Amino acid sequence: MNIVVCVKQVPDTATERKLRSDDKTLDRDAADGVINELCEYAVEEALRLKEAHGGEVTVLTMGPDKATDTIRKALAMGADKAVHLVDPALHGSDALSTSYALAQTLKKIGFDLVILGSESTDARTGMLAAMLAERLGTPQLTLANKVEISGAGITVQRVTDYGFDKVEASLPAIVSVVEKINEPRYPSFKGIMAAKKKQVQTFGIADAEIDAAQVGVANAWSEVADFAVAPPRAAGTVVKDEGDGGVKTADYLASKKFI
Amino acid sequence: MDFTLPESAQAVQRGIAAVCARYDMDYWQRCEAEKRWPEEVWAELAKGGWLGLAVPEEYGGGGQGLLELTVATEALSASGAAGGSAFTYVLTPGFGALTLARHGSPEQRAALLPGLAAGEVETCFALTEPDAGSNALAISTSARADGAEYVINGQKIWITGVQRATWMLLVTRTIPAAEAKPRTNGLTVFLVNVPEAVAAGQLSYRPIPKMGANTTPSNMVFFDDLRVPATSVIGEVHAGAVVLWDILNPERVLLAASALGGAEVALRVGVAYAKEREVFGRAIGSNQAIAFPLARVKARIELARLTLYKAAWLFDRGLPCGTEANIAKLAASEAAWEAADAAFQTHGGMAYSLEYPVARLLTEARIGKVAPVTEELLLNYLATQVLGLPRSF
């Protein structure tokens, strides 16, 4: 089975994240890049499926040069090879154009199953899996906390507000996973050393037959109109307990419609 | 000159840091308070192959040397384990794996190294005695040949990790110290199966209540007609000094790494508090009386690390490293103590509260100035062996 895991490099949530003043896109140079946490769960699930059913795990990343670190991390966990989609024309692509670029690349490299984290910690749109499925004409099985493969069929347990749904489809398919699905492994010493020798293929937009007029900040369907630094937190309301602290607290919560 | 660490060492730095990232300072505080082995971290280190770094690849290990172990110990220590707790790492990956990889017989290597690589088998090292600490050559634990066996009698002290160890590297005298010429002659190192010896009533131990590093107990150990096969000698009979130097130099290097990591933690804790704590309307770190000691610690850490990595690099190339190992140990333990003291002073009265990590860091740092070798002995080595000054003893 040919499994492709889409992996994204995101700014470290522990560092201060900034937007660029010129084109209002994320300033990826200003913060340390780390693998998006949910992508680690996606890699782990791909590795487990490979261990159970055989096949190959390919990491697919779209991002600037420094996203190589994130690719190596996924390879160190045990993925077999990687494709890095990197091109200045892709800078500032929104979710819609990112899904187009990734779909074009996936058509080139082929897949039986694509696994993604359900969202990234930077943009948090959570839409990519659905968009990819639409563009590729495959079933989408999103928010999975359990994945099972049998023959050409796939079944996932989809997390919902009321519990879970059981969703079945045939391969090829697109799956997005939530953090409850597994516990990602740490890269082992041998894994890290072996990752250095694994093949990372670099794709530009021409290689993936991506139309430059459909990607990049200028062609994005969504636009950051303006942004400002979050205002410092205002002083809170102090409730002084004069024997009626409980009532005052309840009144306050009721006034804010919490209760 | 290229100061870039080899890729293998960089992999170790990143890999250990990734494992340790899930175990914060509070985790190590709890382990110390509960006097318990860091099982969770240990299991992860075993799974990732981090305990078998120095085991040759043919036995399932990482095929690396002392430099990678040094970087690993430093990373583990710097993650929050700090000096004493990082010692856990020295016992098996250092004492056991490194020594057997270099000096073990083919049979010993085949029997032990795969288990050491997988983290399934642990080791400890027994040298010091109540009357032979700094003066290690004066040990009196004796091993007497009896047919195809040796019979060992004596007593050791400050033997750390006996409780978990399957194998003990035990240093004995097959020629009494008073009769040995030169004094380094007549030492023999044995591999002792600890659980078997305990079951046979030939080995017993008693933990020593201690002020820190309680994640792993240190013990008095007693040998009472302990019988071991002659095949359990590591290296040659009477010529154990060769093996011993190859244990003691890495021990100095690894404990320097452990101290250095402790210095890094203490500096991190001190700097964070100096930035965050406000007195008289400004962060206390803006006062040079607070800032300069921390800055000086930073300088000491960087200087110590240079000699530390050099010592490990020399050892891995089979070059003499005694001078560098001793200097690294001296510099790192001084840096650790100064860092813990600076962190303490920065925290003011709060340092004394066990809710902050500073008291533990201070305790962990203090032991580095006397163990596994006192600063005085390190200075003595430099004075007599390096500078050629007359001996005082």
Side-chain angles (χ1 to χ4, degrees), chain B residues 203-239:
Chain B
L203 186 159
S204 59
Y205 53 85
R206 197 171 68 222
I208 303 164
K210 53 181 181 173
M211 69 185 269
N214 281 299
T215 44
T216 178
S218 302
N219 305 277
M220 299 275 292
V221 185
F222 307 92
F223 308 96
D224 190 8
D225 283 335
L226 167 65
R227 301 190 79 87
V228 294
T231 51
S232 63
V233 173
I234 304 178
E236 302 288 327
V237 176
H238 301 328

Side-chain angles (χ1 to χ4, degrees), chain A residues 5-130:
Chain A
V5 190
C6 293
V7 167
K8 185 179 187 184
Q9 187 178 59
V10 294
D12 190 346
T13 49
T15 59
E16 193 189 350
R17 287 168 286 176
K18 291 181 190 155
L19 295 181
R20 284 164 48 153
S21 53
D22 55 354
D23 64 3
K24 302 192 180 89
T25 61
L26 182 66
D27 188 348
R28 295 189 186 274
D29 293 330
D32 290 338
V34 296
I35 185 169
N36 178 50
E37 202 178 330
L38 273 165
C39 295
E40 288 188 53
Y41 293 82
V43 173
E44 176 64 35
E45 198 57 25
L47 295 174
R48 289 183 188 196
L49 289 173
K50 177 195 158 180
E51 282 156 12
H53 303 284
E56 196 175 47
V57 175
T58 305
V59 174
L60 170 59
T61 290
M62 173 174 138
D65 286 341
K66 76 174 197 175
T68 316
D69 293 346
T70 291
I71 291 172
R72 292 287 170 206
K73 168 90 191 273
L75 291 174
M77 286 175 73
D80 299 288
K81 58 188 174 67
V83 173
H84 186 182
L85 178 59
V86 50
D87 198 301
L90 295 165
H91 166 75
S93 294
D94 63 358
L96 201 61
S97 42
T98 298
S99 70
Y100 162 70
L102 288 175
Q104 290 297 101
T105 313
L106 283 163
K107 283 180 197 164
K108 282 277 167 202
I109 60 181
F111 62 91
D112 298 314
L113 178 63
V114 178
I115 308 182
L116 302 88
S118 54
E119 63 178 31
S120 61
T121 53
D122 52 358
R124 305 198 66 169
T125 65
M127 298 188 292
L128 201 63

Side-chain angles (χ1 to χ4, degrees), chain A residues 183-184 186-190 192-193 196, chain B residues 7 11 18 22 44 48 50 60-61 64:
Chain A
E183 185 65 32
Y186 299 103
S188 68
F189 177 66
K190 287 178 186 172
I192 295 175
M193 295 305 284
K196 296 177 192 307
Chain B
E7 285 190 345
R22 282 192 207 167
E44 291 293 353
W50 306 108
Q64 303 302 314

